[in-house]
Amino acid sequence: MTDMSAASMTRAARAVVGHPPNAVRRSLIIGLTAFLTVVDLFATQAILPVLTRHYGVTPAAMGFAVNACTIGMAIASFVVGLFSPWINRRAGILLSLILLAVPTSLLAVAPGLMTFTALRVMQGLCMASAFALTLAHLGEQCSTADAGSAFAAYITGNVASNLVGRLIAAAAVDHLGLAWNFLLFAALNLAGAVLVSATIHGVAPISEAKPGESPWRALAAHWRHPRLRAAFAIGFCILFAFIGTFTFVNFVLVQPPLALGMMTLGVVYFVFAPSVVTTLLAGPVATRLGTRVTLWAALALAASGLPLLLTAHLALVLGGMVLVAAGTFFAQATVTGFVGRAASENRGIASGSYLACYFFGGLAGSALLGQLFDRHGWTACVAGIALALGLAAALVSWLKE
């Protein structure tokens, strides 16, 4: 990896943390910002069995409601990305995180599944707005050489939110109940707003748009780019597979022969711990080996865990979850960095398009794999996950640097 110029490094570090350059400090703050931005996204999956009993619905119906936030995230990613050149990064991220606390709090008193689903969509709108603007901000403030590590740090914070968020949700529901669980997460959303207010400052609005240029024209230019189209489709497949695995495996874990309790189910999500470490390596590995080799290896790692998910032994199932998590997160970090490099201009619009496809993949995975799970069982669901990973691997050949 080539060294970033002193001027570029200074600009990136000051823009992200407002202090002199320090790679470790910068990575920690980028990761913590990501953690507090998306901690609501997957934490609720850890309490899916409790929510299913609370609302008296099927696993597929509850799974779709919990993952309905991906609808809002897909919409917000597209809209924010489209108008990204005209949105002040700091103000947009800060406002999104403050507003996120509102639907999160209201989930504590949601009377029925429809209300719950609508509030999850609203959460998704706010989370993705902050997520997309932060990725665009990093793409603008970091050099091409440094962008991979910055994006990997942000995705690592996402990984950490999967682990810690699920642990918090499981513990809170077990000891405090459903309502206090959501109020606790609303407080975390506000903590994210405080962090952004303290660390992202002195950044003037950046517009990559040319005078008189239509955002729709910039969007069309990205979609005509074969490498970017392939990257968008790979993102769709990655979250399709991830959602399918970590939504419906919860029901497998609480049913015989495994029959785990609520608190034990939360502890199970230490399977994400290795991914917190490995995802940080995505940037350097992709630089050394190339995007395609790195992605093929990551997807193969995820696929190797699928047969283990079908066994009746807890240790093997947990091993499979570790492999799927590590592989999909490594792949996500790699392809996210690729999009930032492949888009020569209007990176905010490119990032928004990628995230929209990524989150639509999560929605599709929840809906389609949920039906497979309800009608044909866990084996059919895992087969659908395998098809998604295989399609992603086939698309990787288009990603030439």
Side-chain angles (χ1 to χ4, degrees), residues 31-287:
L32 185 56
T33 301
F35 172 88
L36 294 170
T37 299
V38 296
V39 69
D40 303 272
L41 179 56
F42 296 121
T44 313
Q45 288 183 348
I47 58 173
L48 261 171
V50 174
L51 288 168
T52 301
R53 291 193 299 270
H54 180 76
Y55 287 106
V57 295
T58 66
M62 197 69 243
F64 182 83
V66 164
N67 293 315
C69 55
T70 58
I71 300 173
M73 297 190 85
I75 294 170
S77 296
F78 178 77
V79 173
V80 171
L82 194 62
F83 297 101
S84 174
W86 298 275
I87 300 175
N88 181 286
R89 304 301 188 233
R90 180 181 185 274
I93 298 168
L94 189 59
L95 181 62
S96 297
L97 291 175
I98 292 172
L99 291 177
L100 175 57
V102 176
T104 305
S105 300
L106 292 176
L107 282 170
V109 292
L113 194 64
M114 289 298 294
T115 304
F116 185 97
T117 304
L119 290 172
R120 286 292 283 174
V121 172
M122 292 173 64
Q123 280 187 303
L125 290 169
C126 298
M127 281 188 282
S129 297
F131 196 96
L133 288 172
T134 303
L135 286 182
H137 174 67
L138 293 176
E140 294 161 352
Q141 298 301 323
C142 295
S143 73
T144 301
D146 201 49
S149 296
F151 286 130
Y154 195 74
I155 301 304
T156 300
N158 185 359
V159 178
S161 75
N162 272 269
L163 168 59
V164 180
R166 292 171 198 260
L167 290 173
I168 292 173
V173 168
D174 199 39
H175 296 290
L176 303 174
L178 275 174
W180 280 103
N181 165 73
F182 292 116
L183 294 175
L184 178 59
F185 277 92
L188 290 176
N189 301 151
L190 294 177
V194 171
L195 178 65
V196 168
S197 178
T199 59
I200 299 181
H201 54 80
V203 182
I206 296 177
S207 176
E208 294 178 296
K210 300 173 183 177
E213 181 182 32
S214 165
W216 299 102
R217 182 174 298 175
L219 177 69
H222 287 317
W223 278 94
R224 285 195 299 269
H225 196 313
R227 294 186 300 166
L228 286 176
R229 283 202 308 271
F232 298 161
I234 291 169
F236 179 98
C237 294
I238 289 172
L239 196 59
F240 185 103
F242 181 89
I243 288 283
T245 302
F246 292 99
T247 295
F248 301 106
V249 75
N250 291 284
F251 297 103
V252 175
L253 292 171
V254 299
Q255 294 170 356
L258 301 176
L260 302 183
M262 194 64 243
M263 195 59 225
T264 308
L265 183 61
V267 175
V268 159
Y269 285 100
F270 272 105
V271 296
F272 289 115
S275 300
V276 175
V277 178
T278 58
T279 305
L280 279 171
L281 303 175
V285 170
T287 300

